[in-house]
Amino acid sequence: MTSGLAVHGLSKNFGGLQVARNLTLSLPNGARTALIGPNGAGKTTFANLLTGVLKPTSGTILLNGKSVGKMSESERVRAGIAKTFQITNLFRDLTVRENIRLPILERERRTNKVFCHSDGIPELECEIFQLLEDLALTPLADKPVRGLAYGQQRLVELALTLALKPKVLILDEPAAGVPSTESHLIVQAIKRLPADLSVLIIEHDMQLVFEVANRIIVLVNGAILLDGTPQEVISNREVRELYLGADHG
Amino acid sequence: MTNATDQVSIRRKMGRLAPVLPALIVSVAAAIAFILFPYDLAFLTRIVIMMIFVLSFDLILGYAGIATLGHAAMYGCGAYAAGLVSLHLASDPLIGLLAGAVAGALIAWISGCVLLRAQGVALLMISIAVTMVLQETASQARWLTGGADGLAGITVSPLLGMFEFDFVGQVAFVYSVCILIAVLIFCCILASSPFGLALRGIEGSASRMRAIGTPVYRRKVTVYVIAGAIAGIAGALAAQVTGLVGIEVFNFSLSADVMVMLIVGGAGRLYGALVGTLVFMVVHHIAAGIDPFNWLFVIGFMLLIIVFALPKGLISLPDRLVALLRRKP
Ligand SMILES: Nc1ncnc2c1ncn2[C@@H]1O[C@H](COP(=O)(O)OP(=O)(O)O)[C@@H](O)[C@H]1O
Ligand SMILES: [Mg+2]
């Protein structure tokens, strides 16, 4: 029995296309794991299987030893599995502050409350304030997300998921589209996370990967090519060919 | 951190005052209307009742982003419930309203559990179908509903045991305005609550709401039931002040008109529902008075102009004017 997330024999087919092939791996508490691989390798699909957006063709997913297979997407979030979207998915007409307020209220199980004010709890408002500060979003706090630059929206995307305080955090290319001058904010945010959290980061920016991850999984065509430390991954010939030889994807 | 707490407390104080203002505006406007148009109180009362109905639709379309064409279902059930209660059980108007609210909520719950699983066009179709089935049922269940003749002779006892409903319709008007104010205050509270924010989140991106752990379907059913109760109250009021309920309460055109009124006024802001209803009904009244056969032209033109020039409805007119003036230095 492991604490954290454990995946066993996970497969997913889209019609004839096999996007996850018998994946077995564990993401224990406290792990900082990176998932890399070329475009179309099945990284996002894997993340969606973990969060319940997609149902696997076969295989099991255990959170702290208990199967989450029957849980809906929102039940899994409540159980502690949360992810960011590769393609920003925000509440475009709400302000940045309201965007962050929603996951916090949800985490506190308050979104069914009618007879109180949505910003009525000072501790939660302070938490929003802190998140805004951490991601340098304070000057934009009361602007609608619609009007933000894409890189800023990526940071809001990250803030929404951090606000859930998950036990397993899955980041799907958090730095894609963020200007390099701001990508350190993402690194810092990940480094500030509680130590016992399990983080799975899907990322193409290898510099960022090396900064935050102590374990790297290489996914190619839906199968695990290599699962090891950053050193092992750098020194692996196949991976070098994949990454240095041809396109970055 | 003190900065944050300061900001927070200022926001909270402003938030507390928010529901008082619309209530005040409606009271003042109603008082002025009462004095200026003493012979049109029946028409004004119809406007007020329709405002309640459109407000309830704003909760589901404007806030939660659920488009239906069957909102008359809840209005009609509320009207029949209030009519039946006052004919057979109790003539107190407030009991009738309660019956209307319960009936509206109940039919919203039963139909909502099915139709909120669907989306887009399928949802529209199911909502139309529900209303059609109800209309047919009301027309067939002659023993209960009076069939095509409807329920007639509905009378209610004096309001709070003190105010007799008069022929001119003064009590009916004041009564309806009071209910409108109560509903408006409730809607304002709901809009600024965590639940209201969640509805706007669902409207913005249901998939993101799921990804933050919201049981989206359950929240939709809840708002549908709340809106159903309010629509039921509107139907009940209509039954009480006119003394009649006919199967036209389930007419498709009523559901469509509600949507038009909300779009004309502007969805998702509550005020829009009030402005849209007022403008639609007044224009309708005047146009139908001038030319009883071609008034639909006027309504159609009005809708076209608003949809093209003010896609967010009349309520966005001040913002648009300010933006225009700013552009010209
Ligand atoms: N919903 C879907 N239906 C069919 N094919 C899909 C679907 N989602 C992803 N795919 C396919 O699965 C493969 C893996 O996609 P994805 O998981 O997004 O890869 P990655 O995130 O590694 O770039 C791609 O070939 C993609 O076209
Ligand atoms: Mg991807």
Side-chain angles (χ1 to χ4, degrees):
Chain A
M1 165 102 75
T2 47
S3 57
L5 204 64
V7 175
H8 202 86
L10 199 65
S11 296
K12 176 71 187 177
N13 301 345
F14 288 118
L17 185 70
Q18 202 172 8
V19 188
R21 296 166 197 260
N22 198 21
L23 299 174
T24 298
L25 58 100
S26 69
L27 302 170
N29 287 346
R32 296 288 183 272
T33 315
L35 181 65
I36 65 171
N39 258 341
K43 305 181 296 294
T44 298
T45 303
F46 178 65
N48 284 336
L49 288 170
L50 296 183
T51 57
V53 176
L54 295 172
K55 296 275 172 253
T57 310
S58 64
T60 52
I61 301 164
L62 305 177
L63 179 65
N64 298 328
K66 268 192 278 179
S67 172
V68 298
K70 291 221 164 60
M71 289 185 182
S72 72
E73 197 186 343
S74 54
E75 285 166 340
R76 289 189 205 193
V77 178
R78 289 175 169 217
I81 308 175
K83 87 167 176 72
T84 62
F85 286 78
Q86 177 174 1
I87 297 163
T88 312
N89 186 349
L90 298 167
F91 310 111
R92 297 174 58 78
D93 291 338
L94 301 186
T95 64
V96 174
R97 193 191 301 278
E98 287 168 328
N99 264 268
I100 301 174
R101 188 177 291 136
L102 258 174
I104 291 183
L105 289 171
E106 192 56 61
R107 187 194 73 207
E108 300 291 320
R109 309 280 189 272
R110 297 188 62 83
T111 62
N112 55 352
K113 300 269 187 294
V114 174
F115 293 103
C116 59
H117 215 267
S118 62
D119 59 10
I121 301 178
E123 299 88 79
L124 300 185
E125 292 304 301
C126 290
E127 202 186 321
I128 299 173
F129 182 85
Q130 194 58 49
L131 263 171
L132 289 167
E133 284 284 294
D134 288 351
L135 293 169
L137 290 168
T138 307
L140 306 168
D142 295 307
K143 293 209 165 63
V145 160
R146 186 171 5 96
L148 266 51
Y150 189 73
Q152 293 163 338
Q153 293 191 15
R154 294 300 296 158
L155 295 174
V156 180
E157 174 75 38
L158 180 64
L160 254 72
T161 310
L162 293 180
L164 291 170
K165 293 197 178 156
K167 300 192 186 81
V168 178
L169 173 65
I170 303 162
L171 304 168
D172 197 350
E173 307 203 14
V178 177
S180 51
T181 48
E182 283 172 34
S183 63
H184 70 278
L185 292 169
I186 294 174
V187 174
Q188 282 168 8
I190 296 172
K191 289 192 168 160
R192 256 194 308 266
L193 291 170
D196 64 339
L197 201 80
S198 182
V199 181
L200 179 70
I201 177 167
I202 300 171
E203 187 51 67
H204 281 303
D205 178 348
M206 291 311 286
Q207 205 178 340
L208 195 150
V209 166
F210 288 131
E211 259 185 282
V212 297
N214 49 26
R215 173 186 171 203
I216 298 177
I217 298 170
V218 186
L219 196 71
V220 179
N221 284 328
I224 296 174
L225 178 71
L226 186 71
D227 181 348
T229 62
Q231 283 71 33
E232 284 168 337
V233 170
I234 298 176
S235 55
N236 183 285
R237 237 197 49 221
E238 269 180 282
V239 177
R240 288 168 69 118
E241 273 170 14
L242 202 67
Y243 266 78
L244 304 175
D247 79 311
H248 249 220
Chain B
M1 218 35 126
T2 44
N3 190 358
T5 8
D6 280 357
Q7 273 188 13
V8 168
S9 68
I10 292 169
R11 264 162 207 292
R12 284 173 73 196
K13 277 185 199 123
M14 278 166 37
R16 296 285 175 275
L17 281 176
V20 180
L21 192 63
L24 211 66
I25 294 173
V26 169
S27 325
V28 171
I32 294 172
F34 187 89
I35 295 164
L36 288 185
F37 306 103
Y39 303 112
D40 292 312
L41 287 179
F43 174 59
L44 292 177
T45 306
R46 262 174 41 222
I47 296 180
V48 170
I49 293 173
M50 200 48 80
M51 282 175 171
I52 299 174
F53 189 29
V54 178
L55 269 179
S56 75
F57 193 57
D58 199 16
L59 292 184
I60 55 177
L61 178 62
Y63 282 83
I66 308 165
T68 76
L69 276 171
H71 206 48
M74 278 75 87
Y75 177 89
C77 286
Y80 272 105
L84 289 170
V85 161
S86 81
L87 283 175
H88 303 298
L89 292 174
S91 60
D92 189 276
L94 294 180
I95 293 179
L97 280 196
L98 186 68
V102 170
L106 201 64
I107 196 70
W109 185 59
I110 295 168
S111 62
C113 282
V114 178
L115 69 85
L116 294 171
R117 291 193 186 277
Q119 246 129 35
V121 177
L123 195 155
L124 281 182
M125 291 301 120
I126 300 172
S127 69
I128 295 172
V130 167
T131 322
M132 281 176 167
V133 168
L134 286 171
Q135 187 164 44
E136 198 51 35
T137 311
S139 140
Q140 298 293 327
R142 200 164 266 285
W143 58 275
L144 184 68
T145 62
D149 301 332
L151 299 174
I154 299 165
T155 49
V156 282
S157 55
L159 184 61
L160 304 172
M162 285 185 282
F163 306 103
E164 185 102 38
F165 282 83
D166 55 303
F167 259 105
V168 192
Q170 290 182 339
V171 171
F173 178 71
V174 174
Y175 171 48
S176 305
V177 168
C178 289
I179 302 297
L180 171 64
I181 289 171
V183 165
L184 186 59
I185 289 176
F186 173 76
C187 289
C188 285
I189 291 173
L190 185 147
S192 61
S193 72
F195 180 67
L197 188 60
L199 294 182
R200 290 167 70 200
I202 292 172
E203 192 259 343
S205 168
S207 59
R208 176 47 115 170
M209 283 305 274
R210 265 180 227 110
I212 63 171
T214 309
V216 170
Y217 170 70
R218 224 186 301 159
R219 296 284 178 276
K220 282 186 183 173
V221 172
T222 306
V223 71
Y224 203 64
V225 170
I226 292 174
I230 297 173
I233 289 176
L237 269 177
Q240 291 176 346
V241 303
T242 61
L244 298 165
V245 185
I247 55 171
E248 339 52 88
V249 289
F250 292 119
N251 273 358
F252 175 75
S253 62
L254 181 57
S255 300
D257 283 352
V258 168
M259 185 178 280
V260 171
M261 288 185 224
L262 185 59
I263 302 299
V264 164
R269 313 268 289 267
L270 299 182
Y271 280 112
L274 304 185
V275 172
T277 310
L278 182 68
V279 170
F280 180 97
M281 293 199 58
V282 168
V283 169
H284 181 173
H285 189 71
I286 294 172
I290 295 170
D291 184 346
F293 301 105
N294 297 315
W295 59 268
L296 262 175
F297 270 121
V298 180
I299 298 281
F301 262 115
M302 181 176 77
L303 191 59
L304 273 180
I305 291 168
I306 287 173
V307 168
F308 280 111
L310 292 168
K312 292 195 169 159
L314 288 172
I315 199 86
S316 65
L317 187 62
D319 287 351
R320 286 293 290 269
L321 287 180
V322 169
L324 271 180
L325 290 179
R326 285 241 180 92
R327 220 183 299 157
K328 289 179 200 146

